[in-house]
Amino acid sequence: MTPAATALASAANEHLAHTSNTLIYSSMAVYGLAFFAYIAEWLFGSRSKVARTAAALTAAQAPAEKRAPAVSVRSAGGAAVLERPEVVVRSAAGKRDVPDGPGAHGGDEQGDLYGRIAVSLTALAFVVELAGVVARAASVQRAPWGNMYEFNITFSTVAVGVFLGLLALRKNVRWLGLFLTTTVLLDLGLAVTVLYTASDQLVPALHSYWLYIHVSTAIFCGAVLYVGAVATLLYLFKDSYENKLAGGGRPGAFATSVLERLPASATLDKFAYRVNAAVFPLWTFTIIAGAIWAESAWGRYWGWDPKETWAFITWVGYACYLHARSTAGWKGRKAAYIALIAFACFLFNYYGVNIFVSGKHSYAGV
C-alpha cells in the first residue's frame, strides 16, 4: 500500500471512530429521553392489579387502630357467619397464582401511552448505539471487543437488545425498562469517561477466530444474567413488601408507590429463575470456549489466571443457585441471595479483575 493510500485509510478510520463516538453520545441522549418517559409511565400510570387487590383488602385498616379488613357474610345453617378476607398478594405452593398486573402502568390508558413512548425511544436508542458499535468495529477493522470501552458499549447494546427481544416475543417485561435505561446510562457514562480507549489494534493473543466465539457469548451471557439479576433484586423488595402487607403492616408511601407497580413477587421470582437457567448452559460453553482459546494462545487449557478463576467462581455460584432452587428450604429469598452473589462475582470478574488485577487477560486499556 502506498503512503498516500495508507494516509487515506488512516483518515477514514479516524472519521469512523469519530462517528462512533458521536453515535454513542447520541444514543445516551435518547436513552435519557426514554428514562424520563419511563418515569412518566410510573408516575402517571395506575397501580398494578395485584396492588389494587391488596389495597382493597386492607382499606378498612386504620393506622392507629389497625382495624381488620372488611368482612363478608355467608349463610351457614340459617346463621350469619362473618368471614375476614385473607390478605393474599402472592402465590404459594399448591395455590392458584394471585391476580398479577402488567407492572408499571397497570393497564391504565395514560400510563400505557407513556410506556409505549418509552419503549419506542428505547428502540431508537438501541439502533443508534448499535450503529455506534458497528462504526467502532469498522474503524478498527475487527470485532469491537478488544478493551473494556468496546466491551461496555457492546454489552449495553446487547442488554437492551435482550429486553426488546423479550418484548417482541410478547413477554410482560416492560416494568424492566426504567431499571434498564438507568443502568445503561450509567454503563455508557462510565465507558465514555473512565474506560474510553482510542481505536487501536488487538494484542497478539487476541488475534483468533475464538474472539468472535468466546467473547460474543460472554457478552450475551452477561447481558442476560444482568436481566436476571435485576429481576431477582426486585423480587426481594417485592417479597418483603408483600410479607409486610400479609402481616397487617403498612409500608411507607415511597415503597408503596414503587413496589405496587411491579408484578407479584412470584412472577418476578419465576422470571429470574427462567432467565438464569436458560443462559447457564451458554455460560458453561463460554468457559469451555475460553479454555480452548487459551490452549491455542498460550499452550495450556487452564492456568488459574485471575479471570479464569473468577469465571469459574461465577459458574459455581449460578450452579449453586440452580441447585438451591430445587432444594427444599432454599427456594425463594435464600436462592435469590445466591443469584445476586453469583452476579456480583460476574461483575468483579469484569471490572475488578480487568482494572485491579494483573494477568494474561489484562486488556482493560485504561
Side-chain angles (χ1 to χ4, degrees):
M1 183 179 293
T2 64
T6 302
L8 184 61
S10 178
N13 291 339
E14 290 180 5
H15 176 71
L16 286 170
H18 177 73
T19 301
S20 172
N21 296 339
T22 302
L23 289 170
I24 295 300
Y25 278 105
S26 299
S27 70
M28 293 177 65
V30 182
Y31 278 128
L33 294 176
F35 169 79
F36 287 113
Y38 284 118
I39 289 290
E41 178 189 19
W42 282 60
L43 287 176
F44 302 114
S46 68
R47 296 175 299 179
S48 65
K49 187 176 181 181
V50 68
R52 294 195 298 270
T53 303
L57 291 173
T58 57
Q61 288 182 325
E65 302 171 3
K66 291 188 177 181
R67 294 195 302 266
V71 299
S72 59
V73 181
R74 68 178 177 86
S75 178
V81 179
L82 301 182
E83 293 183 330
R84 295 171 57 182
E86 183 183 0
V87 181
V88 179
V89 293
R90 59 177 179 170
S91 61
K95 294 185 179 181
R96 180 177 60 84
D97 285 352
V98 300
D100 190 16
H105 68 283
D108 176 81
E109 183 177 353
Q110 185 180 29
D112 186 63
L113 173 62
Y114 285 117
R116 290 177 182 275
I117 293 173
V119 171
S120 298
L121 288 170
T122 304
L124 175 60
F126 167 76
V127 172
V128 175
E129 186 182 10
L130 179 61
V133 173
V134 172
R136 175 75 177 198
S139 70
V140 292
Q141 300 180 4
R142 57 169 172 77
W145 311 320
N147 51 61
M148 288 187 68
Y149 168 74
E150 295 174 355
F151 193 100
N152 261 45
I153 61 175
T154 305
F155 173 83
S156 59
T157 304
V158 175
V160 176
V162 170
F163 169 66
L164 294 175
L166 290 172
L167 288 177
L169 293 173
R170 300 186 181 278
K171 301 299 181 181
N172 179 24
V173 294
R174 204 163 81 188
W175 48 267
L176 186 62
L178 176 61
F179 308 96
L180 177 70
T181 53
T182 302
T183 50
V184 164
L185 283 170
L186 292 173
D187 177 77
L188 292 178
L190 180 66
V192 300
T193 55
V194 179
L195 303 177
Y196 180 77
T197 304
S199 300
D200 201 359
Q201 295 304 309
L202 293 172
V203 296
L206 293 181
H207 283 285
S208 171
Y209 61 89
W210 282 104
L211 172 70
Y212 297 90
I213 301 174
H214 173 66
V215 182
S216 63
T217 55
I219 291 173
F220 179 77
C221 288
V224 177
L225 292 175
Y226 157 77
V227 171
V230 172
T232 301
L233 186 62
L234 294 178
Y235 155 73
L236 290 174
F237 283 109
K238 189 60 182 280
D239 184 63
S240 296
Y241 172 79
E242 293 177 356
N243 282 333
K244 193 167 187 177
L245 278 179
R250 302 184 69 87
F254 177 77
T256 299
S257 66
V258 174
L259 296 175
E260 69 185 2
R261 288 169 165 80
L262 290 174
S265 64
T267 299
L268 294 170
D269 185 40
K270 185 185 300 182
F271 174 77
Y273 169 68
R274 288 178 175 178
V275 165
N276 289 326
V279 81
F280 182 73
L282 189 59
W283 180 247
T284 304
F285 169 78
T286 301
I287 296 177
I288 295 173
I292 297 174
W293 188 7
E295 195 281 331
S296 175
W298 302 311
R300 75 339 178 245
Y301 289 100
W302 196 267
W304 297 105
D305 183 75
K307 185 164 285 290
E308 296 172 349
T309 301
W310 279 96
F312 178 69
I313 291 174
T314 302
W315 184 90
V316 170
Y318 278 105
C320 290
Y321 163 72
L322 296 177
H323 178 71
R325 288 281 311 194
S326 61
T327 302
W330 278 90
K331 294 181 179 180
R333 298 184 68 86
K334 290 181 180 179
Y337 290 135
I338 297 176
L340 290 181
I341 292 173
F343 186 69
C345 293
F346 175 86
L347 290 180
F348 179 78
N349 186 33
Y350 176 54
Y351 289 104
V353 172
N354 279 356
I355 296 176
F356 303 111
V357 182
S358 298
K360 290 182 176 296
H361 292 80
S362 299
Y363 306 131
V366 296

